[in-house]
Structures are given as C-alpha cells and as structure tokens.
Amino acid sequence: MGGNAPRNSPTTRARNNILPPLTTRDREILEVLTLRVRLLTAPQIARTWWSGENAGKGAARRLRDLETLGMLERFTVYAHPELPLSGPVYCWTPGDLAPNFGALSYRLTSRWKEAHRPAPAVIATKAAANYFGGHGAKRPKRVEENHDVHQAAVFLALRAQSPDLVRTWRAEAAIRRSRPDAPGEKLPDAIITVNGSEKIIDFGGSYSAAKLEGFHEWAEQRGTAYELW
C-alpha cells in the first residue's frame, strides 16, 4: 500500500513533531523563514549569522546540510543588487500631513538602476513550517523575487537595530491567516507593534504616485502609522 513515508523522513519527523539536530543558529534562521519572511538569500544569511572571510563558504555548507535534513529548499532568485537599507524612506504617523506622492514615488523608483542578477536563496520547507508553526514550501513568483529579497533586507535591518522589536513582526502570511473573514482586504508586507500600537512596514518598489496615495489613504482610514522602506 503506497503513501507511507520512510520512518525517519522529514515528513515523518514533522508529523511526530521531532526536530532533527539543529543548532541555535539553525533555529534562528528557520524561525525567520517560517515566521517573518518568505525567503533569504545566501549572502544575507552569511552576513547576518556568520563572520570572517569564510562566512560565505560556511553559510553555504550549512544551508546544504539543512536542505539534506529537509528543513530548507535552495533555489535561485533574480533580483536587483540588494539596496543598502539602513532606514525607511518615509515615515507617517496619524495626524501628520500626507506626503508629496509624486516626489515620494520618484525617490522610490529612481533607486532601480541595474539589471536583475541571479542570487542563491532559500525558503523553508513544509516540514520546517510544521515544526515552527509558520509558513513554508512556497517559492515566490518571478515578479515577486526582487520585492521578497528586499523585504528580507528590511527585516534584517530592523533586526540589527531593534532585536526585541522584530519579535512582534507579523508577516503578510500571518496577517492573512488572522483575517479569514476579510477576503480582498489590502495586506501590508508586515506589521510590528511599537509601544502597544501597530505600525505597518512596507517595502517600496516602483510605486506610482497613485499607488502610494491609495496605500496612504488605506493606512489613514485604519489610523495606523507606517514606514516605507
């Protein structure tokens, strides 16, 4: 009779909630991939969780190990060279005036000056998602890859600046699950909680002035602060 997974396969371990041998660093990476962002590139992982001149090789070796353990899936994304994101391009708080949407659109769209290039990346598997109670096993569409690479960069920038704050980070997938009765409602990239209040975090791609105005009106109607990176 078919359909039975091998006794020690990732699927069987996930069903029995048995973790494979993972280090603290492994767990941190997998928690980010299942609870915070959809993907991470290998260079992002290397610079965040490894150090030294051999960081890239060490990270690549461990990512292969985690793929063998059934926790990760490696693949290639095509994205603009990663922008240096040290802070938001624009911040808005309820009560502030609306931004100049045309000027803000220009600031966001003028950043894209180079062709997309291949980069090694990883997503969590369904087995990892089962372990950590999050999402996994869903590669981005090609048109989403650049956005997802930079959304991960936003998370990592915030993580470096405020480790406690990003523990409140709710990704789009988690927000969608929390709103099953609101189909079609706009979903931000992420929401964090600052001093008890929600703040929307969104990475700004090539946003037109009209799209920015619609985004702002939605946030204003909700009475929710936002940051555009």
Side-chain angles (χ1 to χ4, degrees), residues 26-46:
D26 295 338
R27 289 172 177 267
E28 288 180 359
I29 294 169
L30 291 168
E31 285 175 356
V32 169
L33 286 167
T34 55
L35 300 174
R36 313 302 181 194
V37 300
R38 177 154 53 177
L39 65 80
L40 290 166
T41 67
Q44 287 174 336
I45 291 171

Side-chain angles (χ1 to χ4, degrees), residues 61-212:
R61 183 165 53 247
R62 189 55 184 163
L63 294 179
R64 288 194 296 269
D65 293 342
L66 289 172
E67 184 176 46
T68 300
L69 288 169
M71 296 288 98
L72 294 180
E73 178 185 343
R74 295 184 299 146
F75 66 111
T76 299
V77 294
Y78 289 83
H80 186 280
E82 192 176 328
L83 299 174
L85 299 174
S86 58
V89 174
Y90 180 79
C91 301
W92 181 84
T93 301
D96 291 348
L97 295 175
N100 180 321
F101 299 112
L104 182 54
S105 174
Y106 177 78
R107 289 180 65 188
L108 294 173
T109 57
S110 63
R111 300 185 291 181
W112 310 110
K113 300 176 180 178
E114 299 184 52
H116 288 196
R117 302 173 185 172
V122 295
I123 58 170
T125 61
K126 185 63 176 176
N130 289 342
Y131 290 140
F132 293 98
H135 54 266
K138 186 178 180 181
R139 289 190 185 187
K141 298 176 183 177
R142 181 57 57 85
V143 296
E144 298 170 332
E145 290 177 345
N146 184 61
H147 176 276
D148 284 2
V149 167
H150 285 87
Q151 181 62 15
V154 171
F155 173 81
L156 294 176
L158 277 175
R159 179 182 181 274
Q161 297 166 10
S162 304
D164 292 334
L165 186 61
V166 293
R167 293 191 181 97
T168 70
W169 176 289
R170 285 187 290 143
E172 180 181 332
I175 298 168
R176 182 183 294 109
R177 286 199 299 270
S178 71
R179 299 177 182 175
D181 299 324
E185 183 181 351
K186 188 184 294 291
L187 292 172
D189 289 338
I191 293 176
I192 60 174
T193 302
V194 183
N195 297 324
S197 297
E198 289 188 343
K199 177 180 283 189
I200 296 164
I201 305 294
D202 206 80
F203 176 73
S206 296
Y207 285 5
S208 67
K211 182 171 183 175
L212 287 169

